[in-house]
Amino acid sequence: MSHITPQAAATRDFIPVRIAILTVSDSRQMHEDRSGDTLVARLEQAGHILADRKLCPDERDQIADQLRAWSLDPDIDVVITTGGTGLTGRDVTVEAHRDVYEKEVEAFGTVFTIISMNKIGTSAVQSRATGGVANGTYLFALPGSPGACKDAWDDILVHQLDYRHMPCNFVEIFPRLDEHKRRK
């Protein structure tokens, strides 16, 4: 359900967001990355810009280093990772994200779990999707399945990354994400 009212659409212009996609996997190659492909297709269909796309092994330090690099890149507004959010020993994406976050968006994981519960029942408890902010950049960690990426994009991110979404959205607070770092 969209919360873009006709009034908001008439008074607010769409603002494209520059998004980087990082697939975390020890076993996949870019040509078989269906989850990354799903996210790229959806973000482009929504009118956003693919700023970069990479594949990274399930190595906490490498994931965190890539998140930090992208969060410092002025040409990237949002980073979405897919993969490594489960419970196995190699699933370290959430820990890497939390190594980088300045602030966690706790409700992102909660809302994702609610959406997942409606689709996969109690299996939703096995996902550790998370979101946060670092260096004025939004960072989101999604599970590695195309279905989970569709759910997160279609039911949360497509709305929150649309400036016309009311009553509020992530885009309208971009300018204030790093205000604590500016000189007063």
Side-chain angles (χ1 to χ4, degrees), residues 41-107:
R42 279 174 156 65
L43 76 85
E44 289 178 341
Q45 180 182 25
H48 297 298
I49 300 159
L50 178 64
D52 203 352
R53 181 178 179 186
K54 293 187 177 176
L55 193 85
C56 180
D58 289 285
E59 296 293 337
R60 184 173 176 171
D61 291 343
Q62 289 182 43
I63 299 164
D65 288 346
Q66 186 61 64
L67 294 173
R68 279 188 199 94
W70 277 344
S71 75
L72 292 167
D73 186 331
D75 294 326
I76 296 175
D77 303 310
V78 175
V79 176
I80 303 173
T81 65
T82 175
T85 64
L87 300 173
T88 70
R90 296 290 295 154
D91 290 326
V92 295
T93 302
V94 173
E95 289 74 19
H97 269 254
R98 290 182 174 145
D99 289 344
V100 176
Y101 290 164
E102 294 166 359
K103 293 185 179 184
E104 188 164 359
V105 182
E106 290 92 351

Side-chain angles (χ1 to χ4, degrees), residues 11-152:
T11 60
R12 288 184 164 193
D13 291 331
F14 177 78
I15 299 173
V17 174
R18 300 163 298 188
I19 303 171
I21 304 293
L22 180 66
T23 299
V24 177
S25 177
D26 285 333
S27 59
R28 274 187 250 162
Q29 301 297 319
M30 195 70 80
H31 70 274
E32 56 192 359
D33 178 19
R34 291 181 30 235
S35 296
D37 291 344
T38 296
L39 290 167
V40 169
R42 279 174 156 65
L43 76 85
E44 289 178 341
Q45 180 182 25
H48 297 298
I49 300 159
L50 178 64
D52 203 352
R53 181 178 179 186
K54 293 187 177 176
L55 193 85
C56 180
D58 289 285
E59 296 293 337
R60 184 173 176 171
D61 291 343
Q62 289 182 43
I63 299 164
D65 288 346
Q66 186 61 64
L67 294 173
R68 279 188 199 94
W70 277 344
S71 75
L72 292 167
D73 186 331
D75 294 326
I76 296 175
D77 303 310
V78 175
V79 176
I80 303 173
T81 65
T82 175
T85 64
L87 300 173
T88 70
R90 296 290 295 154
D91 290 326
V92 295
T93 302
V94 173
E95 289 74 19
H97 269 254
R98 290 182 174 145
D99 289 344
V100 176
Y101 290 164
E102 294 166 359
K103 293 185 179 184
E104 188 164 359
V105 182
E106 290 92 351
F108 180 81
T110 303
V111 171
F112 180 80
T113 300
I114 292 167
I115 290 164
S116 295
M117 279 285 298
N118 291 325
K119 307 219 175 175
I120 61 171
T122 61
S123 295
V125 302
Q126 294 184 34
S127 171
R128 299 182 305 137
T130 186
V133 177
N135 301 307
T137 303
Y138 289 106
L139 309 170
F140 300 101
L142 307 180
S145 76
C149 290
K150 287 176 190 174
D151 293 344

Side-chain angles (χ1 to χ4, degrees), residues 12 15 17 19 48 77-80 103-109 111 130-133 136-142 152-153 155-178:
R12 288 184 164 193
I15 299 173
V17 174
I19 303 171
H48 297 298
D77 303 310
V78 175
V79 176
I80 303 173
K103 293 185 179 184
E104 188 164 359
V105 182
E106 290 92 351
F108 180 81
V111 171
T130 186
V133 177
T137 303
Y138 289 106
L139 309 170
F140 300 101
L142 307 180
W153 182 268
D155 295 334
I156 304 170
L157 294 173
V158 74
H159 306 296
Q160 283 298 301
L161 296 176
D162 191 327
Y163 181 64
R164 300 166 300 173
H165 180 79
M166 302 296 267
C168 57
N169 58 76
F170 289 143
V171 177
E172 65 191 344
I173 58 174
F174 266 128
R176 297 186 359 237
L177 290 178
D178 61 357

